[in-house]
Amino acid sequence: KVQAKDIWKKFIHSAWAFGEPGCIFIDKVHRESTGYPYGHIEISSNPCAEQFLPAYASCRLLLINLLTYVKDKFLLSAKFDFENFYHDCKILQRLGDDLVDIELECIDKILSKIHSDPEPLPVKQIGIDLWENIKRVTILDRRTGCGFTALGDTAAALGFIYASKEHIAFTEKMQQTFAFAAYESSVDMAEELGAFKEYDKNKDIQSEFIQRLKDTNPKLYERMTKFGRRNMVLLTVAPTGSISCLTQTTSGLEPVFMLSYKRRKKGNPGDKNFRTDFIDQSKDHWMEFNINHKGFQDYINITGNTKVEGSPYHKSTANEINWLDRVKLQSVIQKYTDNSLSSTVNLPNSATEDLVSQIYL
């Protein structure tokens, strides 16, 4: 026997000093899981933590841009279009299910290629077994990973300070709406095309997430017990880093990292419209740009106000928000997410080991 408190202190010290090791409360993962009652034992998550997966399962991520559903951005009349959001979330879930079929087509092509290769069967068998297992699990669970991006900018566009009580209340309603729409879409597809292969209402109700769905939307749950649902797992919130660079929004559920910053573009002296502002140690030439975060620039353009103070972005960047409120916001999203989410709590270099411990607890 060992003292749990002693292990906890060592764990927290290492997390504080090095950011490692990670920590997974796997029993909680399994209690919430919509796959665990079917024997799909989640082993771990990928590095960004938005998908807990069993062996051979696929991580299929799709997202919707929340900011596009805000009408009258940054004005007193700003509001979120829940009706269109619900409609589009149902479409997103159907697209996620289509992605499963596309994957199955690709797996069949891969298997056909392996079988046609000239190598002897013993050499090819490992590859055949791998892809047959991936195909088997894909057919069994038809899991999707539907999520969102731009929550930080959406908060500001609606006039909320990130992770404020008002923002947390909105976010819980938003994610509940997302969950209801996705599950209704999956039930619709089950009625139309058939449920995922293993659906069993008596097993399904063992999931704490499904129990929560039953309590909050009994009519939807009743339909699901009649028709099943098309997908074993539906929802996740990914970091969406690359896509959010394209949409020029905050990423995933994260706040704005910085409102103003300097970016550099590499170029060659003499190139058209290029000037050298910085030369690095490799003698590469860079042009520098002072940039406002796109959402903050939109706020300036719409309202005419140029100061951060008084704007909905005030005290809303990653290094300014209260860590406890940040975790509370994360929790209401997780409440209506049947897989997981990617989330970063930024702390100053002066953060203590006790503070790190409080965040984990």
Side-chain angles (χ1 to χ4, degrees):
K1 291 185 177 180
V2 296
Q3 291 292 324
K5 191 173 183 180
D6 292 340
I7 294 177
W8 184 257
K9 285 181 178 179
K10 289 182 179 180
F11 166 68
I12 291 299
H13 173 75
S14 186
W16 169 81
F18 306 107
E20 296 289 350
C23 181
I24 295 173
F25 298 100
I26 201 70
D27 54 342
K28 180 60 174 173
V29 171
H30 288 155
R31 289 198 303 272
E32 287 282 337
S33 170
T34 53
Y36 189 69
Y38 298 94
H40 289 230
I41 300 173
E42 282 85 346
I43 299 169
S44 186
S45 76
N46 58 347
C48 289
E50 78 269 31
Q51 280 274 308
F52 282 91
L53 297 171
Y56 304 110
S58 298
C59 179
R60 307 177 189 96
L61 303 177
L62 300 92
L63 65 88
I64 202 161
N65 184 351
L66 296 176
L67 187 60
T68 61
Y69 298 93
V70 180
K71 295 183 176 180
D72 298 338
K73 298 178 181 67
F74 302 110
L75 301 177
L76 292 175
S77 57
K79 65 178 182 179
F80 192 81
D81 188 347
F82 278 100
E83 184 177 347
N84 275 328
F85 178 64
Y86 192 94
H87 173 267
D88 291 350
C89 287
K90 290 187 69 175
I91 294 174
L92 185 72
Q93 182 59 38
R94 186 171 283 263
L95 286 171
D97 189 69
D98 289 342
L99 190 60
V100 177
D101 291 326
I102 292 171
E103 181 173 324
L104 286 168
E105 290 178 12
C106 292
I107 292 171
D108 283 339
K109 290 179 181 178
I110 291 169
L111 283 167
S112 177
K113 168 67 168 62
I114 295 173
H115 281 295
S116 67
D117 283 343
E119 289 79 12
L121 184 60
V123 174
K124 300 188 290 187
Q125 195 61 54
I126 293 176
I128 291 170
D129 291 345
L130 170 65
W131 288 104
E132 287 288 1
N133 276 318
I134 293 173
K135 181 178 180 179
R136 172 180 56 81
V137 174
T138 298
I139 293 170
L140 285 175
D141 66 19
R142 301 190 65 88
R143 71 175 59 223
T144 62
C146 293
F148 60 78
T149 195
L151 181 64
D153 281 328
T154 299
L158 289 168
F160 301 137
I161 300 297
Y162 184 92
S164 63
K165 289 181 179 179
E166 295 80 7
H167 183 218
I168 291 172
F170 161 78
T171 301
E172 180 166 2
K173 181 181 178 182
M174 179 278 297
Q175 187 61 22
Q176 184 189 67
T177 302
F178 200 152
F180 288 173
Y183 268 76
E184 182 179 338
S185 179
S186 194
V187 171
D188 290 346
M189 286 187 286
E191 183 179 3
E192 176 187 344
L193 303 167
F196 70 87
K197 196 170 183 180
E198 296 181 289
Y199 179 77
D200 181 336
K201 64 180 181 182
N202 295 318
K203 290 181 179 179
D204 214 44
I205 195 60
Q206 296 172 32
S207 161
E208 290 183 3
F209 178 88
I210 297 297
Q211 292 168 17
R212 196 176 304 119
L213 185 73
K214 178 185 178 183
D215 292 340
T216 52
N217 197 333
K219 289 184 178 179
L220 174 58
Y221 178 75
E222 186 178 347
R223 276 195 70 218
M224 190 164 69
T225 60
K226 182 178 180 181
F227 299 109
R229 64 178 180 277
R230 183 70 169 161
N231 316 96
M232 180 183 284
V233 184
L234 284 72
L235 303 164
T236 197
V237 183
T240 71
S242 299
I243 293 178
S244 296
C245 286
L246 297 175
T247 58
Q248 299 186 68
T249 62
T250 53
S251 60
L253 61 82
E254 307 285 4
V256 178
F257 186 70
M258 294 177 68
L259 290 175
S260 300
Y261 49 93
K262 183 180 290 184
R263 298 196 73 165
R264 287 173 177 161
K265 174 185 176 182
K266 187 190 288 189
N268 296 309
D271 284 355
K272 186 178 180 181
N273 298 324
F274 182 82
R275 68 175 187 274
T276 298
D277 295 319
F278 175 77
I279 302 174
D280 64 20
Q281 60 187 12
S282 301
K283 307 302 182 183
D284 288 326
H285 290 241
W286 300 82
M287 185 175 177
E288 295 182 339
F289 303 86
N290 292 314
I291 294 175
N292 282 333
H293 171 68
K294 175 66 162 53
F296 182 54
Q297 187 61 55
D298 288 345
Y299 166 79
I300 293 172
N301 295 342
I302 291 170
T303 66
N305 299 325
T306 58
K307 294 184 178 180
V308 176
E309 295 80 5
S311 80
Y313 285 107
H314 184 52
K315 298 294 183 182
S316 290
T317 63
N319 294 314
E320 295 175 315
I321 56 178
N322 179 277
W323 64 264
L324 181 57
D325 293 338
R326 177 73 171 74
V327 175
K328 287 178 180 177
L329 177 71
Q330 176 179 325
S331 73
V332 299
I333 299 171
Q334 185 63 72
K335 183 177 178 181
Y336 292 103
T337 304
D338 60 13
N339 202 297
S340 187
L341 50 84
S342 179
S343 177
T344 304
V345 178
N346 293 84
L347 296 174
N349 185 257
S350 58
T352 63
E353 291 185 49
D354 182 61
L355 176 57
V356 174
S357 180
Q358 288 180 57
I359 291 171
Y360 272 103
L361 290 170

